[in-house]
Coordinates of all heavy atoms in Angstrom, one line a residue:
Chain B
S269 N -31.0 -16.0 -10.1 CA -31.2 -15.7 -11.6 C -32.2 -16.8 -12.1 O -32.5 -17.8 -11.4 CB -30.0 -15.7 -12.3 OG -29.5 -16.9 -12.3
A270 N -32.7 -16.5 -13.2 CA -33.8 -17.2 -13.8 C -33.6 -18.7 -13.8 O -34.5 -19.5 -13.9 CB -34.1 -16.7 -15.2
S271 N -32.3 -19.2 -13.7 CA -32.0 -20.5 -13.9 C -32.5 -21.3 -12.6 O -32.9 -22.5 -12.6 CB -30.5 -20.8 -14.0 OG -29.9 -20.2 -12.9
G272 N -32.5 -20.6 -11.5 CA -32.8 -21.3 -10.2 C -34.3 -21.4 -9.9 O -35.1 -20.9 -10.7
E273 N -34.7 -22.1 -8.9 CA -36.0 -22.2 -8.5 C -36.3 -21.3 -7.4 O -36.5 -21.6 -6.2 CB -36.4 -23.6 -8.1 CG -35.6 -24.7 -7.5 CD -34.2 -24.5 -7.1 OE1 -33.5 -23.5 -7.3 OE2 -33.7 -25.5 -6.6
E274 N -36.4 -20.0 -7.8 CA -36.6 -19.0 -6.8 C -37.9 -19.1 -6.1 O -38.9 -19.5 -6.6 CB -36.6 -17.6 -7.5 CG -35.8 -16.6 -6.7 CD -36.6 -15.3 -6.4 OE1 -37.0 -14.6 -7.3 OE2 -36.9 -15.1 -5.2
G275 N -37.9 -18.8 -4.8 CA -39.1 -19.0 -4.0 C -39.2 -20.3 -3.3 O -40.0 -20.4 -2.4
L276 N -38.6 -21.3 -3.8 CA -38.7 -22.6 -3.2 C -38.0 -22.7 -1.9 O -38.8 -23.1 -0.9 CB -38.0 -23.7 -4.1 CG -38.9 -24.5 -5.0 CD1 -38.2 -25.6 -5.7 CD2 -40.1 -25.1 -4.2
H277 N -36.7 -22.4 -1.8 CA -36.0 -22.5 -0.5 C -35.6 -21.2 0.0 O -34.8 -21.2 0.9 CB -34.9 -23.4 -0.7 CG -35.2 -24.8 -1.2 ND1 -35.9 -25.6 -0.3 CD2 -35.0 -25.5 -2.3 CE1 -36.1 -26.8 -1.1 NE2 -35.6 -26.7 -2.3
E278 N -35.9 -20.1 -0.7 CA -35.3 -18.9 -0.3 C -35.5 -18.5 1.1 O -34.8 -17.7 1.7 CB -35.4 -17.7 -1.3 CG -36.8 -17.5 -2.0 CD -37.9 -17.0 -0.9 OE1 -37.7 -15.9 -0.6 OE2 -38.8 -17.9 -0.6
E279 N -36.4 -19.0 1.8 CA -36.7 -18.8 3.2 C -35.3 -19.0 4.0 O -35.0 -18.3 4.9 CB -37.7 -19.7 3.7 CG -39.1 -19.2 3.6 CD -39.4 -18.0 4.4 OE1 -38.9 -17.8 5.4 OE2 -40.2 -17.1 3.9
S280 N -34.7 -20.0 3.6 CA -33.6 -20.5 4.4 C -32.3 -20.5 3.7 O -31.2 -21.0 4.1 CB -33.9 -21.9 4.9 OG -34.1 -22.7 3.8
R281 N -32.3 -19.8 2.6 CA -31.0 -19.9 1.7 C -30.4 -18.6 1.6 O -31.1 -17.6 1.5 CB -31.3 -20.6 0.4 CG -31.2 -22.0 0.4 CD -31.7 -22.6 -0.8 NE -31.9 -24.1 -0.6 CZ -30.9 -24.9 -1.1 NH1 -29.9 -24.6 -1.8 NH2 -31.2 -26.3 -0.7
T282 N -29.1 -18.6 1.5 CA -28.4 -17.3 1.3 C -27.6 -17.5 0.0 O -26.9 -18.4 -0.3 CB -27.4 -17.1 2.4 OG1 -28.0 -17.1 3.6 CG2 -26.7 -15.8 2.2
E283 N -27.9 -16.6 -1.0 CA -27.2 -16.6 -2.2 C -26.2 -15.7 -2.3 O -26.3 -14.6 -1.9 CB -28.2 -16.3 -3.3 CG -28.9 -17.3 -3.9 CD -28.0 -18.3 -4.7 OE1 -27.5 -17.8 -5.7 OE2 -27.8 -19.5 -4.3
F284 N -25.1 -16.0 -2.8 CA -24.0 -15.0 -3.1 C -23.3 -15.5 -4.3 O -23.3 -16.6 -4.7 CB -23.1 -14.8 -1.9 CG -22.4 -16.0 -1.5 CD1 -21.3 -16.4 -2.1 CD2 -23.0 -16.8 -0.5 CE1 -20.6 -17.6 -1.6 CE2 -22.4 -17.9 -0.1 CZ -21.2 -18.4 -0.6
K285 N -22.5 -14.5 -4.9 CA -21.8 -14.8 -6.1 C -20.4 -14.8 -5.8 O -19.9 -14.0 -5.1 CB -22.2 -13.8 -7.2 CG -23.7 -13.7 -7.5 CD -23.8 -12.7 -8.5 CE -25.2 -12.8 -9.2 NZ -25.5 -11.9 -10.2
T286 N -19.7 -15.7 -6.5 CA -18.3 -15.7 -6.2 C -17.5 -15.4 -7.6 O -16.2 -15.4 -7.5 CB -17.9 -17.2 -5.8 OG1 -18.5 -18.1 -6.7 CG2 -18.2 -17.5 -4.4
A287 N -18.2 -15.2 -8.6 CA -17.4 -14.8 -9.8 C -16.7 -13.5 -9.7 O -17.1 -12.6 -8.8 CB -18.5 -14.6 -11.0
P288 N -15.5 -13.5 -10.2 CA -14.7 -12.3 -9.9 C -15.3 -11.0 -10.4 O -16.0 -11.0 -11.4 CB -13.4 -12.5 -10.7 CG -13.8 -13.5 -11.7 CD -14.8 -14.4 -11.1
G289 N -15.2 -10.0 -9.5 CA -15.7 -8.7 -9.9 C -17.2 -8.5 -9.6 O -17.7 -7.4 -9.6
L290 N -17.8 -9.6 -9.3 CA -19.3 -9.4 -9.0 C -19.4 -8.9 -7.5 O -18.7 -9.1 -6.7 CB -20.1 -10.7 -9.2 CG -20.3 -11.0 -10.7 CD1 -21.2 -12.2 -10.8 CD2 -20.9 -9.8 -11.4
I291 N -20.6 -8.2 -7.3 CA -20.8 -7.6 -6.1 C -21.0 -8.7 -5.0 O -21.8 -9.6 -5.1 CB -22.0 -6.8 -6.1 CG1 -21.8 -5.5 -7.0 CG2 -22.5 -6.3 -4.8 CD1 -23.1 -4.9 -7.3
M292 N -20.4 -8.5 -3.9 CA -20.6 -9.4 -2.8 C -20.2 -8.7 -1.5 O -19.2 -7.9 -1.4 CB -19.6 -10.6 -3.0 CG -19.9 -11.6 -2.0 SD -19.1 -13.1 -2.6 CE -17.5 -12.5 -2.8

Side-chain angles (χ1 to χ4, degrees):
Chain B
S269 64
S271 59
E273 26 8 355
E274 221 235 298
L276 261 187
H277 301 293
E278 38 71 70
E279 277 291 327
S280 56
R281 273 169 190 256
T282 304
E283 265 296 293
F284 56 88
K285 297 180 168 185
T286 47
L290 284 187
I291 292 169
M292 186 168 49

